Amino acid sequence: MEQEEAERNMQILLDFLHCLRKQKVDELKEIQTDLHYIKEDINAVERHRIDLYRARDRYSVKLRMLGDDSSTRKSWLSSIDKNSSGIITSSLNARGGSSAGSLQNKKGDGKAQANSHGHQRKDSLTGSDSQCLNQSGLSVVRKKRVHAQFNDLQECYLQKRRQMANQPHTKQESDKNIIHREGYNAGLADFQSVLTTFTRYSRLRVIAELRHGDIFHSANIVSSIEFDRDDQLFATAGVSRRIKVFDFASVVNEPADVHCPVVEMPTRSKLSCLSWNKFSKNRIASSDYEGIVTVWDVTTQQSVMEYEEHEKRAWSVDFSRTEPSMLVSGSDDCKVKVWCTRQEASVLNIDMKANICCVKYNPGSSNYIAVGSADHHIHYYDLRNISQPLHVFTGHKKAVSYVKFLTNDELASASTDSTLRLWDVKENLPVRTFRGHMNEKNFVGLTVNSEYIACGSESNEVYVYHKEISKPVTWHRFSSPDMDDTDEDAGSYFISAVCWKSDSPTMLTANSQGTIKVLVLAA
C-alpha cells in the first residue's frame, strides 16, 4: 500500500513538473518571438532614422550652397560698386565736388550696417538655440510620459505587433508622424501613431469660461452640452428648464464672464439630453423628466414635434447620422422607442426588463443601436429584428449611464462603477477598461473622438483617456472663484456634461454648479 501511495505521489509530482515545463517553454517561445519582433523593429526604426538624418543633411547642404551663391553674387556686386565708386570719386574730385568727410561718413554707415547685421545674426542664433532647448525639454517630458505608462504601452505594442506580425505596412495613413518605408511593419506603424498621439498632450488648458445661471441657485446642473453640425453653435440643457444656444466663436474670442445665448427656448420640464440633427442645422431634439421627446426648430424657437408615449422620465435621445428623419429614445419605463419626424407615433418599440439610461445610433448605419441599461449591460440591436439583441456586452458592475461610438466598430460605455469600457461591436469583444475618475451615483458625461475618450468625475474634474491606454492622459479640476474649496458645498459639485469639438483637441465641459469651460489639450 505504501509503495502504491508513493508511486501515485511521484506521478502527481511528475505531471505537475511536465505541465510547468510546458507552460514555461510556451512562455519562453512567446518571449523569444517578442524579442524577434523588437529586434526587427529596432533595425527598421534605426534605418528610417538614418534616412531622416541624411535627408536633413542634404537639405542643410542645399541651404549652404544657396548661401554661398548669394555671398558670391554679393561679392561680385560689391566689387562693381567699388569700381564705380572709384570712377565717380575721381570724377567728382577732378571737379572739386567731393570731400573726404562725406566718404568717411559713408564708411561709418557701412560699419553701422555691418554691426547691425552682426547683432541680427546673433539674435537669430539665440532664438534658434532657445528653440532647440525648448524642443529638448519637450522631448524629455514626452519620454517621462512614456515611462509613466510603460506597462500599458508595452501591452499595446505587443498586442498590435502580434496581431499584424506578417503584414508589411502598405496602406497610407493620414498621420504625418509615421514614416512609411519598406520593411516597416503595420503593427509598428500603428503603435507609432498611438505613441505620438498619447505623448503629444499632458494637460488641459482653459480657453474660455461662462456661467450658465445664478451660481448660488441649485437648478444649474447642465445635463447635456452638444455642438451642432458645423461646430459653430453649441446648446446646453439641464434642470433650469431651458435650452440655451451659444455662438462658439463669440464665447472663445470675446472675454466675458457672462455670455448671452443667441437662442433661448423655455421647456415644460427639466431636460436630460440633447441631440443635434447632423443634416438640418436648425433642428435639435430633447428628452425630459416627464418622458417627452421634443424636436425643436432653433431658427423659429418653436417645437416641431412632441412625442409623449414614454410613461416615465426619458434619459436619452439621439438622431441618426445616416437617416436625418430618424431618432431613438430610452426611458425609465424600460422602453426604447424609435421615432420618425414625419410621423406622430413611434415606428418601433423595444420592451426591456430594466430602466434605460442611454441610447445611441451606430454612426455608420441607422439599423444598429446600442442601449445602456440599469441591468449593468449594453444591448446591441439590429432594428430589422428586435426579437433579441445581436449581442449583450457584460462587464460593468453597475448601471450603464452612457454609450458613445468612436467608430462604426468601436463603442465606449460609462457606468456608475467608476469605469469606462471599450468594446468591439464587430467581433463582440471587450477591448479595454479605463480607471481613474470617480463615478458612483451621478450622470457625469461621456464624449469620444477617434483617439480620445473624456468623461466627468464626482471629484469635479474632467478626465481624458487615450483609447489604447487604461490610465488617464490628463485631468482638469473645476475650481470656483466664488467658493472656497474647503466649503461643505464645494465637495458636492461634479462634472455633469462633456463634448469634444469634432476631431479636435477642444472640448466643452460643464458641472453641477452651472459653470461651463472650454478646454483644449496642450503639451
Side-chain angles (χ1 to χ4, degrees), residues 110-137:
K111 283 182 181 177
Q113 286 179 4
N115 286 336
S116 173
H117 287 306
H119 284 304
Q120 287 177 5
R121 177 68 177 162
K122 187 176 180 181
D123 289 344
S124 68
L125 284 171
T126 304
S128 176
D129 291 345
S130 175
Q131 188 176 1
C132 286
L133 286 171
N134 288 339
Q135 290 296 326
S136 176

Side-chain angles (χ1 to χ4, degrees), residues 418 435-445 455-465 472 474-480 485 487 489-496 510-513 517:
S418 293
R435 291 182 174 88
H437 63 288
M438 185 171 70
N439 181 204
E440 296 179 352
K441 56 182 179 180
N442 296 297
F443 285 84
V444 295
C455 68
S457 173
E458 285 160 1
S459 57
N460 209 19
E461 294 169 300
V462 178
Y463 278 77
V464 177
Y465 298 86
T474 186
W475 55 90
H476 171 80
R477 180 172 176 79
F478 270 50
S479 58
S480 170
D485 284 346
D487 286 357
D489 291 338
S492 64
Y493 297 129
F494 58 92
I495 303 301
S496 54
N511 78 344
S512 57
Q513 194 184 6
K517 289 187 181 185

Side-chain angles (χ1 to χ4, degrees), residues 62-94:
K62 283 182 181 178
L63 284 179
R64 282 198 297 272
M65 288 173 68
L66 288 171
D68 291 344
D69 287 347
S70 177
S71 299
T72 305
R73 190 175 302 161
K74 283 179 181 177
S75 175
W76 181 67
L77 289 171
S78 177
S79 66
I80 291 173
D81 289 343
K82 282 179 181 177
N83 291 334
S84 301
S85 176
I87 293 166
I88 292 166
T89 303
S90 300
S91 175
L92 286 171
N93 285 338

Side-chain angles (χ1 to χ4, degrees), residues 130-183:
S130 175
Q131 188 176 1
C132 286
L133 286 171
N134 288 339
Q135 290 296 326
S136 176
L138 190 60
S139 179
V140 169
V141 170
R142 293 181 76 169
K143 284 178 181 177
K144 284 182 178 178
R145 286 178 217 157
V146 169
H147 287 293
Q149 305 284 7
F150 192 83
N151 288 340
D152 276 356
L153 288 168
Q154 173 186 255
E155 185 182 335
C156 176
Y157 165 78
L158 291 173
Q159 181 186 29
K160 291 181 180 300
R161 197 57 176 85
R162 290 165 184 165
Q163 283 177 350
M164 295 183 266
N166 300 312
Q167 298 178 27
H169 189 77
T170 53
K171 65 176 182 176
Q172 292 297 312
E173 299 280 354
S174 60
D175 193 337
K176 295 177 182 177
N177 296 299
I178 299 176
I179 307 297
H180 303 297
R181 301 282 168 82
E182 187 179 349

Side-chain angles (χ1 to χ4, degrees), residues 344-483:
E344 293 184 357
S346 60
V347 296
L348 209 60
N349 186 50
I350 304 174
D351 284 307
M352 298 181 67
K353 295 179 180 178
N355 300 31
I356 309 303
C357 304
C358 51
V359 289
K360 201 73 180 174
Y361 271 107
N362 186 306
S365 172
S366 61
N367 292 325
Y368 302 101
I369 62 167
V371 180
S373 172
D375 67 0
H376 310 175
H377 305 327
I378 299 147
H379 304 257
Y380 190 55
Y381 278 95
D382 183 338
L383 296 178
R384 294 166 296 188
N385 179 12
I386 59 171
S387 57
Q388 61 181 17
L390 281 176
H391 191 74
V392 178
F393 294 95
T394 62
H396 281 299
K397 307 300 182 187
K398 288 187 179 180
V400 178
S401 46
Y402 297 94
V403 284
K404 296 285 175 78
F405 284 90
L406 286 79
T407 65
N408 296 350
D409 300 330
E410 294 175 303
L411 177 70
S413 61
S415 167
T416 49
D417 63 5
S418 293
T419 69
L420 308 180
R421 288 178 183 261
L422 187 64
W423 314 88
D424 184 333
V425 298
K426 186 178 180 181
E427 302 296 334
N428 298 332
L429 293 171
V431 178
R432 190 162 290 104
T433 302
F434 306 89
R435 291 182 174 88
H437 63 288
M438 185 171 70
N439 181 204
E440 296 179 352
K441 56 182 179 180
N442 296 297
F443 285 84
V444 295
L446 177 70
T447 185
V448 299
N449 61 28
S450 60
E451 294 288 340
Y452 293 98
I453 304 171
C455 68
S457 173
E458 285 160 1
S459 57
N460 209 19
E461 294 169 300
V462 178
Y463 278 77
V464 177
Y465 298 86
H466 190 284
K467 70 176 184 179
E468 299 283 358
I469 308 297
S470 60
K471 294 171 186 172
V473 174
T474 186
W475 55 90
H476 171 80
R477 180 172 176 79
F478 270 50
S479 58
S480 170
D482 306 286
M483 278 195 181

